[in-house]
Amino acid sequence: MQSRPDSAGASAPSPPQDKLSTSEYPLQEIGSRYKDEARDSDELSLDLESGNLPLLPSEVDGMEAQSGKFERDPPFSCTPSGFCAWLRGPTPPHVYHINPWFPSLQAAPARLIDQKFPRKSSKIALLFGGLIFWIVVFFACFKASVAGQEVPGFGQPVKLSCHHRLWSNSTNCGLNGDLCRPFEDQSFAFRCPSGCAAAILLEPYVVGDQELNYRPLVVGGKPLEVGDQNSSIYRGDSSICASALHAGLIDDARGGCGILHRTGEQKNFQSIMQHGIESIEFLSSFPMSFRLENEASSPDSNKTTPIKCSDARWSLFAFTLIWTTFLSLVVTSAPAFYSMMYFIVWFQVAMASDPPSIGSYYDLVSIALGRFLPGAFVGFVLYYFCVRYTLKNLDAHWDKTVLWLGGCWVGALNTDTFDRIPISRLTPHDIQQQPGALTALIIVVGSLIVIAFGQAHCYRREGRFFPTISIYGVLVAVVLILVAVPNMNLRIHHYILSLLFLPGTTLQTRPSLLYSGILIGLFINGIARWGFDSILQTPGALLDGAKLGTVPPKIYPPSTTDANNLVFSFPDLEPHADGLSVLVNDVERFQVFRPKDGQHFPDFTWARTYPDEVEYFRFGLVHTNALGGLWYEDFSPPAVWGADGNFVFPDSEIPEDPGSESKSG
């Protein structure tokens, strides 16, 4: 048995030198650690001061490693140097990352896919299979809903927008309305989309002696007895789909189909409130009118059957929403998620939810594909510089689905969401004339200011306040330069708003998820629906039928031979005008140009169309273009020729608010 050595005589082994220093000098280790932290903080502060950090976020792995260290936030100070130091944020910066609520639940769908399809190739095949499945189902259902409807005796219905009219306006239809013929003896089936109750006038429009704006253009429609049936007659310049809503033939939520019959010249269009729309009264005559019905009979039978069709946009949207929600929960790769959502949302908007006003199915496909290629390139740029920093390494898939994808759909369905705000266009002209626009603009700007302060606080804590504010300094400078361009007007489109605001969402916070999704949806809606419209437009392009602000011609009272005949003379019209146009009952009835020999304009003689009928007269100057064609100045307010023979000019104050019809030829 081996004896145990004596503890007094045995020498204990010496500990390693590093352990000895640690155990004997613990404060020295702590002090050196804080010196290292201080050195790291000083280096990071130097980087922030010298501008070595990128303008947009770069890889944040190093910052994430430092985020566990002691965070030192400089106190707020009102001195310039202290305030700048406070704006630089804490050292090391606080890098935001969304920690998911109920992480096991949020990861469950993706974990199930990993278990069933562990190989990367199988996941890629499954991803493309899901995309192909959506493409096949969506386009098959959409084509069946558009091209599969047949109305007996009329063929496929003509696809209309909510603003389509037979008679665009008095000057576009030419003298006596000949450019808008035929007036009667023609019928066709039509198809209206959903949501046409919100299709209102956005510029002043004159009907008789009334100037109308921001309401549906439906003139007449009071049921009249025609034979054994009641028939509603509408004036020819009424919006077809709004008139169908007024008549109760279609539903605002689902759209519908009908048959339009041109009924020629009619008079006495009476107003009536039906189905939430109040029509406009016009008690004189008009050369074009129409009536609507929703029943058709086949050529082989006299039996009539109701026409049944509906807008498939909401059913297709429901399918797309369910499918994108499923994909969002199972796709964990940020590039794959963004690419699939961008593609699906684009074609949902371009084909079904907010398509261009094109009648043919194949024309829609052509336009959607034509705009998709440049739109996809810009979408990639937006992802690379902005969106990927919000979606990168995101484990909160339910948050991503609700906030980013939900926000994307809110922006993509702009017609049904943000378009309800009473601001048609961000131009001074529209904001001044649209009721409620100024109040809505104040609320929107106030909300944006609150959001901007919240985002600025987060950028300060991440140490990226000055790089981000420098980006917006450049953007503001560019906008100011564009505003200063002479003879051009700045037009802020949907996609421009997205490009301006997306650099301010490069944070991984829940509010940034929501903002980023909304802005991407707005960008898709703007390009898929309208294309890349110019940010600078001419004043004429922005008018779009609005007032030019010109002074109407001075007209002298007519001479009357009897109660049904008038003669107008024009001895001293403005020398800059090339001609004169006269509208009678909102139809161009007289157009004359300045004689070459310098003589006066010829007289205009007018005989009342129907005895004892009120008639309305408006006068406007005409100009010729250098390359041909005509354009019209603002027409005068309507003068009224009463049934008793009295001719009444409008009040002297009314010429400051003239008629709105103008045309570029």
Side-chain angles (χ1 to χ4, degrees), residues 305-327:
T305 57
I307 304 172
K308 294 182 179 180
C309 74
S310 61
D311 189 2
R313 59 179 298 194
W314 291 115
S315 56
L316 289 173
F317 170 71
F319 163 70
T320 303
L321 179 64
I322 294 173
W323 194 242
T324 52
T325 300
F326 170 74
L327 292 175

Side-chain angles (χ1 to χ4, degrees), residues 117-161:
F117 304 92
R119 299 178 59 183
K120 183 177 180 180
S121 58
S122 60
K123 292 179 182 178
I124 295 176
L126 188 65
L127 191 67
F128 279 99
L131 182 60
I132 293 173
F133 170 77
W134 177 85
I135 292 174
V136 171
V137 174
F138 176 84
F139 280 90
C141 294
F142 180 74
K143 184 177 180 181
S145 67
V146 173
Q149 179 71 36
E150 289 280 346
V151 177
F154 297 94
Q156 290 188 1
V158 178
K159 182 177 178 292
L160 303 178
S161 72

